[in-house]
Amino acid sequence: AQSVSQHNHHVILSEAASLELGCNYSYGGTVNLFWYVQYPGQHLQLLLKYFSGDPLVKGIKGFEAEFIKSKFSFNLRKPSVQWSDTAEYFCAVRLAGANNLFFGTGTRLTVIP
Amino acid sequence: GAVVSQHPSWVICKSGTSVKIECRSLDFQATTMFWYRQFPKQSLMLMATSNEGSKATYEQGVEKDKFLINHASLTLSTLTVTSAHPEDSSFYICSARGDRGNTDTQYFGPGTRLTVL
């Protein structure tokens, strides 16, 4: 079955630590990949997306993600996290040309000042 | 950026009543809108996809007679939970995709928390 996996359910980091959140998917064919962030009490916001081209994608707020096709992965990274990065992070996948987004279960990031 | 609003943000109703949730794209025309449901500590599950002026496409396992979706205009979609029961209590989120900027991006509303007593 098609799925999106986020293996880290809750990550706790100190400020200035580096972040990497895993995302793996099991769809065949061409996919579009997304990372969304949900700050406490707010709606989902797009962090970054990958459709084609350079597999290293840079998004807002210093986040980046790398698409590794051979590993079916799209991990999110940030070299130095801030307290304001505390939020829930969702990876999402869409088959190219399709409407539907399939979401992972989310990873809660807590950054300790 | 593109803004999507939902109303109400939270609602409490008695079992057996119907509840309508509105989703609006405020500064762009949404040719396609999506309705999701999110259970506590779980991911967003797509319920249905609606295109303006046509019937919604429901995901497998979603009762279309219970979750009525209307996408009457390019800026408004509504989800009506009919004869609500406690198990329908959840967080309902809409998203919209349209003619603003990159049409491949979905913009999400803030969600509506439904509690059925």
Side-chain angles (χ1 to χ4, degrees), chain B residues 39-100:
Chain B
F39 292 99
K41 299 184 179 180
Q42 294 189 32
S43 182
L44 282 75
M45 300 297 296
L46 179 66
M47 298 174 65
T49 302
S50 72
N51 292 295
E52 186 267 338
S54 62
K55 289 185 178 180
T57 302
Y58 289 81
E59 294 299 303
Q60 192 172 12
V62 178
E63 298 175 62
K64 59 182 178 182
D65 293 331
K66 180 169 187 60
F67 298 100
L68 301 178
I69 291 172
N70 185 292
H71 192 163
S73 76
L74 285 171
T75 59
L76 173 65
S77 176
T78 59
L79 168 68
T80 302
V81 182
T82 62
S83 187
H85 291 284
E87 57 265 30
D88 299 324
S89 297
S90 191
F91 197 55
Y92 293 88
I93 302 172
C94 75
S95 71
R97 191 178 81 187
D99 63 357
R100 172 91 174 227

Side-chain angles (χ1 to χ4, degrees), chain A residues 28-74:
Chain A
T30 303
V31 294
N32 304 141
L33 299 157
F34 305 80
W35 274 99
Y36 283 87
V37 61
Q38 187 172 29
Y39 297 103
Q42 296 189 29
H43 59 279
L44 281 165
Q45 300 174 40
L46 181 66
L47 267 182
L48 48 79
K49 59 188 176 184
Y50 171 81
F51 290 157
S52 64
D54 188 344
L56 184 61
V57 179
K58 294 193 182 299
I60 61 172
K61 305 186 181 185
F63 286 91
E64 65 178 31
E66 184 175 11
F67 171 50
I68 303 180
K69 189 175 182 179
S70 61
K71 295 185 177 180
F72 296 89
S73 70
F74 189 55

Side-chain angles (χ1 to χ4, degrees), chain B residues 6-22 35 67 79-82 84-93 110-117:
Chain B
Q6 281 184 242
H7 177 79
S9 55
W10 58 270
V11 57
I12 302 173
C13 70
K14 291 182 179 180
S15 185
T17 60
S18 295
V19 174
K20 180 185 283 188
I21 303 170
E22 292 185 349
W35 286 96
F67 298 100
L79 168 68
T80 302
V81 182
T82 62
H85 291 284
E87 57 265 30
D88 299 324
S89 297
S90 191
F91 197 55
Y92 293 88
I93 302 172
T112 296
R113 185 162 302 282
L114 170 63
T115 301
V116 184
L117 302 177

Side-chain angles (χ1 to χ4, degrees), chain A residues 36 43 49 51 94 99 103-104, chain B residues 43 97 102 104-106 109:
Chain A
Y36 283 87
H43 59 279
K49 59 188 176 184
F51 290 157
R94 183 179 68 202
N99 274 324
F103 283 85
Chain B
S43 182
R97 191 178 81 187
N102 191 326
D104 284 322
T105 299
Q106 289 185 30

